[in-house]
Amino acid sequence: MPVDNDILSGGENNLLVWKEYPGASSYQMEFNLPTPVFSEENASRPQYQKQVIPLPSGSYAKVDGDLIAFNLPLPKGADGLVLELRIFALDAAGNIISESISSDSNQRL
């Protein structure tokens, strides 16, 4: 998660789902309204430090044993934009787990 070139909908709640990372205490989402696009897929660190949103435990739900579900509401009128998102796994201290990489990116509205 996110699935490459998946389509998100403006004016709706979008459900993002990814597989739980072993040892993750929480997650963070990096976003980008491209130009430029993320320079690296499956990065070990965010490219845009000011475009990171913490996803603390409780902001998402654990489902079906090892899946994480996060509700992402997007405003109306956003259709047609390109929005890149990627998820990073965090340890108990809030640091990116060193051996982990981000999810894939490149979402379209």
Side-chain angles (χ1 to χ4, degrees):
M1 182 0 262
V3 176
D4 286 338
N5 295 313
D6 196 9
I7 295 177
L8 301 174
S9 299
E12 295 184 22
N13 291 323
N14 295 272
L15 188 62
L16 306 180
V17 180
W18 63 91
K19 189 169 181 175
E20 180 179 31
Y21 191 87
S25 294
S26 63
Y27 297 89
Q28 70 180 15
M29 178 174 51
E30 181 184 16
F31 67 92
N32 184 32
L33 293 165
T35 317
V37 298
F38 287 140
S39 62
E40 179 183 359
E41 287 293 326
N42 305 116
S44 58
R45 298 278 175 255
Q47 181 176 340
Y48 302 105
Q49 295 294 330
K50 293 182 179 181
Q51 296 171 191
V52 174
I53 300 169
L55 303 177
S57 181
S59 66
Y60 52 83
K62 208 170 160 183
V63 294
D64 290 336
D66 66 347
L67 297 178
I68 303 294
F70 176 72
N71 183 37
L72 178 66
L74 292 172
K76 275 191 166 194
D79 296 336
L81 296 176
V82 174
L83 171 65
E84 290 183 306
L85 303 172
R86 57 184 172 194
I87 305 295
F88 292 88
L90 305 180
D91 63 18
N95 300 311
I96 294 173
I97 296 175
S98 61
E99 64 276 4
S100 70
I101 58 172
S102 73
S103 65
D104 291 339
S105 65
N106 199 7
Q107 301 287 318
R108 296 178 295 131
L109 296 174

